[in-house]
Amino acid sequence: MRQLIAGNWKMNGVFADVARFAGPLRAATGLGCDVLVCPPATLLAAMAQALAGSAIAVGAQDCHPDPPGAHTGDLAAAMLRDAGASHVILGHSERRAAHGETDAVVCAKVLAAHAAGLVPIVCVGESEAERLAGRAEAVVAGQLAGSLPGGFAGVIAYEPVWAIGSGRTAAQADVAAMHAVIGARLHAQFGAAAEAMPVLYGGSVKPENAASLLTLPGVHGALVGGASLKPADFLAIARAARTLPNPAGGG
Ligand code: PGA
C-alpha cells in the first residue's frame, strides 16, 4: 500500500491559496504516496476543481452526524461529498477539546461519513498529562473502541495532543510502540479488515523529521498541520513517503 500524506489546513486559507497550492501539487511527478489536501470548507469546491483530473484527493475537516436539515452553520457529509471531498477528518483533538466532541459523537460522524461515501480519518491521541501518568495506550485504546463503529472502513491518525502544533514530535520508539498498539487493537476490533486501515502519525511532522517518522514500523503515512500550509514543505514530506511492502496493520 502507498503511504498517505494528508494536509490539514485547519482554519487557514483564502481563495488565492487554492491556485498557489494546486499548481505545485499538480506539477509534482513521481510521488510514491497518496496525497490528500484538507482545506477549510470554504475552499473545498474550488480546491476539488483545481485538482480535478490529478491523483490528489481533497478532504474536509469535520462533518455533522445528521443528514442535511435544520442545523445552522453545520455541514452534512453528503454536502462535503458534493463539494468534491473524498475524505473527512473526524475527532481531531482540537474539536474534541474545543467542541466537546466525545467518542460517541465521533462515532456518529463516522457513520454519517460512511453513508455519504466519504473515507473517515479518525484522530486519536493522548494528552501530555495522560502520557506522563502512563495512560497513553489505555486512552488511545478507549478512543478507538468508542469512536469506531462496527463495520468501520477508513483511516486512523495517531496524534499525541502535546505534539500538535508544538514543534515537539513524539520519540520514535513511542510512535512505533503506539502504532503497534493501534494495529493490534484494530485487528482485535475488526479482524482481517484492519489490514486495509492505514494508521497515520500526526504532530509537528515537517520536512526535517518526515523520513525518520515515515520509516517507522506501522506508520502508514502522516497527517500534517502547519507544514501543510507551505507547498514546498508539504511536497518535501510527500517525497519522504513511499510505497509500503506490507499491507496496513502488517507492520
Ligand atoms: P501540526 O498539526 O502538524 O501543526 O502539529 C497536526 C494536526 O493537528 O493534524
Side-chain angles (χ1 to χ4, degrees):
M1 67 146 11
R2 285 154 70 88
Q3 287 185 313
L4 171 63
I5 304 300
N8 173 12
W9 284 20
K10 308 191 179 184
M11 196 171 71
N12 295 289
V14 293
F15 191 68
D17 295 316
V18 171
R20 200 168 62 78
F21 255 81
L25 287 184
R26 290 193 80 107
T29 50
L31 292 178
C33 63
D34 291 332
V35 177
L36 169 72
V37 183
C38 302
T42 48
L43 303 180
L44 264 181
M47 186 65 85
Q49 269 169 24
L51 291 171
S54 79
I56 296 155
V58 176
Q61 300 174 14
D62 179 45
C63 72
H64 193 279
D66 288 352
H71 296 286
T72 303
D74 281 314
L75 294 166
M79 296 157 67
L80 302 171
R81 183 95 182 97
D82 181 62
S86 56
H87 294 63
V88 59
I89 299 169
L90 295 174
H92 190 281
S93 66
E94 286 155 12
R95 294 204 60 86
R96 289 180 186 263
H99 297 269
E101 288 193 9
T102 61
D103 290 336
V105 168
V106 176
C107 189
K109 292 183 174 193
V110 170
L111 290 170
H114 281 166
L118 291 175
V119 177
I121 301 175
V122 177
C123 302
V124 296
E126 81 285 357
S127 68
E128 185 156 37
E130 289 162 343
R131 174 158 287 275
L132 291 174
R135 296 181 46 232
E137 292 182 1
V139 166
V140 168
Q143 289 172 331
L144 291 172
S147 304
L148 305 180
F152 173 75
V155 179
I156 306 297
Y158 168 56
E159 300 202 303
V161 176
W162 47 272
I164 294 175
S166 65
R168 298 163 59 197
T169 35
Q172 291 187 26
D174 290 340
V175 174
M178 187 62 88
H179 278 249
V181 167
I182 292 171
R185 289 279 166 176
L186 293 176
H187 272 274
Q189 254 175 284
F190 302 106
E195 302 283 328
M197 296 175 193
V199 184
L200 314 183
Y201 170 79
S204 299
V205 177
K206 39 199 179 221
E208 305 82 64
N209 61 23
S212 56
L213 289 163
L214 288 166
T215 46
L216 292 173
V219 174
H220 307 123
L223 182 55
V224 185
S228 76
L229 295 171
K230 292 189 193 143
D233 285 1
F234 187 56
L235 278 171
I237 293 167
R239 290 212 172 83
R242 67 216 160 94
T243 301
L244 297 169
N246 300 324

